[in-house]
Amino acid sequence: MWIKPATLKGKHVTIRPMENKDLDELYEAGQHEVIWAYMPMKVTSKSDMKMLIEQALEGMETGTAFPWVIQDNRTGKLVGSTRFLDPSEASRNLEIGWTWLSPDVWRTPVNTECKYILLKHCFESLKTIRVQLKTDGRNTRSQNAIERIGGVREGTLRKSRVTYTGYVRDTVYFSILESEWPNVKHRLEEQMKR
């Protein structure tokens, strides 16, 4: 895979490749039911989290995903995870998705800096042309957060996915292009100063 393991460090967060040993900390971080409302699966037990990690690492082996864990530098604890999905070296694009964070760090600099570090890695190290983000059509909090960091709403795929609850969701797509990165980078850096 063109994406190589790396540890990405910021002031508030450190992002590193996911490993099996992260099970206990990720399970602890994922104890809030609200996290899983719009995710592809619900984690209610340690075996659920183990399955989530195994599926993520399997994606890394097959080249369809690259999973990361997110550590809060203030506490040293893992507070969530995210992934690069469907990476295409030939087309120089990928998706940032499967992102979840403990509500303990919602409305803190953690998510903004996490996206900043990942986008910087995408555009400045991996030389991507396009980074995609998507979310459940009902998840307005996530949509607002993506727009706040500079994601451009591209449209909605109607009735695109059946969730684990049986609900048939609409999926809202966003992207950031290489040409937009300088302005997005500046916007994120200004947000992180606040």
Side-chain angles (χ1 to χ4, degrees), residues 8-187:
L8 312 174
K9 293 186 178 190
K11 179 180 177 183
H12 302 284
V13 297
T14 298
I15 303 167
R16 64 165 174 77
M18 182 184 286
E19 300 176 74
N20 280 311
K21 71 175 188 174
D22 297 320
L23 173 62
D24 291 337
E25 277 195 82
L26 285 176
Y27 177 65
E28 183 180 331
Q31 288 298 295
H32 306 270
E33 189 172 338
V34 66
I35 293 169
W36 310 106
Y38 303 112
M39 296 299 287
M41 68 178 288
K42 186 176 184 178
V43 173
T44 58
S45 66
K46 197 173 273 192
S47 63
D48 290 341
M49 184 60 76
K50 185 174 189 259
M51 184 170 67
L52 183 152
I53 292 169
E54 286 171 353
Q55 289 172 349
L57 295 177
E58 182 180 306
M60 189 163 60
E61 288 177 22
T62 62
T64 60
F66 191 95
W68 307 86
V69 293
I70 304 163
Q71 176 184 309
D72 183 341
N73 289 343
R74 185 177 43 86
T75 64
K77 292 184 176 181
L78 297 185
V79 292
S81 74
T82 190
R83 299 181 199 176
F84 287 166
L85 300 165
D86 300 320
S88 171
E89 184 175 11
S91 295
R92 291 177 37 216
N93 66 58
L94 56 79
E95 177 180 324
I96 296 175
W98 255 101
T99 304
W100 63 268
L101 289 165
S102 168
D104 296 342
V105 296
W106 289 4
R107 295 175 197 83
T108 72
V110 167
N111 191 43
T112 302
E113 190 178 62
C114 179
K115 290 297 189 292
Y116 172 78
I117 290 170
L118 290 171
L119 289 166
K120 185 175 182 183
H121 186 63
C122 289
F123 290 113
E124 297 180 15
S125 298
L126 300 176
K127 305 298 183 191
T128 55
I129 295 171
R130 178 179 189 277
V131 174
Q132 172 176 288
L133 302 104
K134 68 181 185 236
T135 188
D136 189 305
R138 300 168 294 170
N139 192 348
T140 55
R141 189 180 62 78
S142 179
Q143 291 171 49
N144 292 337
I146 295 168
E147 287 178 329
R148 196 168 41 254
I149 66 167
V152 175
R153 184 183 297 255
E154 295 184 324
T156 302
L157 288 185
R158 299 177 302 154
K159 305 296 181 195
S160 65
R161 179 175 296 174
V162 179
T163 68
Y164 69 88
T165 65
Y167 179 81
V168 183
R169 83 174 212 182
D170 295 339
T171 303
V172 184
Y173 282 79
F174 298 82
S175 69
I176 299 170
L177 304 180
E178 175 185 40
S179 59
E180 297 163 342
W181 171 237
N183 287 335
V184 169
K185 180 179 182 179
H186 177 72
R187 174 190 285 188

